[in-house]
Amino acid sequence: MKIIILGAGQVGTTLALNLEGEDNDITLIDTDSKRLRDIQDHLDLRTIVGHGAYPDVLYNAGIEDADMLVAVTNSDEVNMIACQIAHSLYQTPTKIARIRSPNYHNKDIIFKDNHIPVDVVISPEKLVTQYITRLIENPGAFQVLDFAEGKVRLVAVRAYYGGPLVGNALSELKHHLPNVDSRVAAIFRRGAPIVPTGHTIIEADDEVFFLAAKKHIRSVMSELQRLEKNYTRVMIAGGGNIGQGLAKALESKMQVKIIERNPERAQELADVLHDTLVLQGDVSDEDMLKDENIGDFDLFIAVTNDDEANIMSALLAKKLGVRKTMVLINRTAYVDLIQGHQIDIAISPQQVTIGSLLKHIRRGLVSNVYSLRRGAAEAIEAVAKGNEQSSLVVGRTIGELPLPPGTSIGAIVRDDQVLIAHENIIIRENDHVVLFMVDKAYIHDVERLFQVNVTYF
């Protein structure tokens, strides 16, 4: 595909990194020439210095025959105008825009062809809020991803001593939980992937990715670690869009406090959050955290725009006795450095956002994509279409499929039924197939597998 990415910030650069090496023709536009030179030193792509909403800049980038424009600058308005120019002057087939302000999201009619022609609206703040909410619903997990509208989930947990399955073969899972169907899709041990079999022994500190129906998640987690109690008291540091969204989602279920430095913003939050206690102050103020009894809280979530403030406030909260900490980290290089020590979960908004972009770029009837382990692996939901003559998957058993190396099928969702993958299951048309890839180099093989012969249409 010929793709133009507008904006060389964290999201734009992460997207380019994920697409590089997949035979895509990528052009990256930004006003910062130094940043573009730095990116070009590491990535094989074309760069254009200029304002991405200007028609001449888009033309120089090759918009006249581009398949897709992805506008992810920090300005909602620039992103929208760029999509409008691409549509009006060049009839670009697919236009994706990052829209951050909730003021625009409340009016869906804006983003239509006869208004502002944005085909796909991406809201990183909304995606991150949903992501953190799923983590809160599943204490002990460090990644929780939904497939088939939440009917099946992929959950990542770290195996600890005390979990009944630790030190035992995976085949024991079925004996321990005879009425629960689940599938371990992948294991990462000391950073290296292991394709699991029934004979694989689970070791302490393994990162285990498993698939199960939503109602069975806690049962499977209990095999890998001692189950944590549900969170009942949460403190949020940062009252931006993410902090406000989290408080709104949680305040009816648990006790929530939110800290915001800016007095005007704190007053705005107090006006819209009815069951959340809004505190105006510095998230790194030790006396304030002590006064608010942070040691009695189950969870401290730092979601300000400042990585250092998030890290330091979470470390302080941990020192003062909070049970668990989650931190939003914009610099992806920090994520691996800090997660798993005093900070329990580090969240990269770029990695959360990238899946929503990739699902519109992947070919072959792909309806969901999640980037895993900072882009090294992917979880994909593909829809089976066609018949035995026009499709490589429909009418065939899972065991017969020519899956590329390091790729496994974890589950099939058929209407409202969740089928955990077994070799003898026959794939039918309209099945949602959940695949796990530990090697992204084979992504095109998976895409081709789910493409339908043109005669089908």
Side-chain angles (χ1 to χ4, degrees), residues 82-99:
C83 289
Q84 181 72 67
I85 297 294
H87 174 76
S88 299
L89 298 184
Y90 306 107
Q91 293 76 53
T92 305
T94 304
K95 301 161 291 295
I96 299 174
R98 176 167 83 166
I99 307 295

Side-chain angles (χ1 to χ4, degrees), residues 302-322:
V303 289
T304 76
N305 291 324
D306 186 327
D307 285 355
E308 284 75 16
N310 289 342
I311 293 168
M312 296 309 295
S313 63
L315 291 174
L316 181 58
K318 197 76 169 184
K319 172 191 165 188
L320 296 174
V322 75

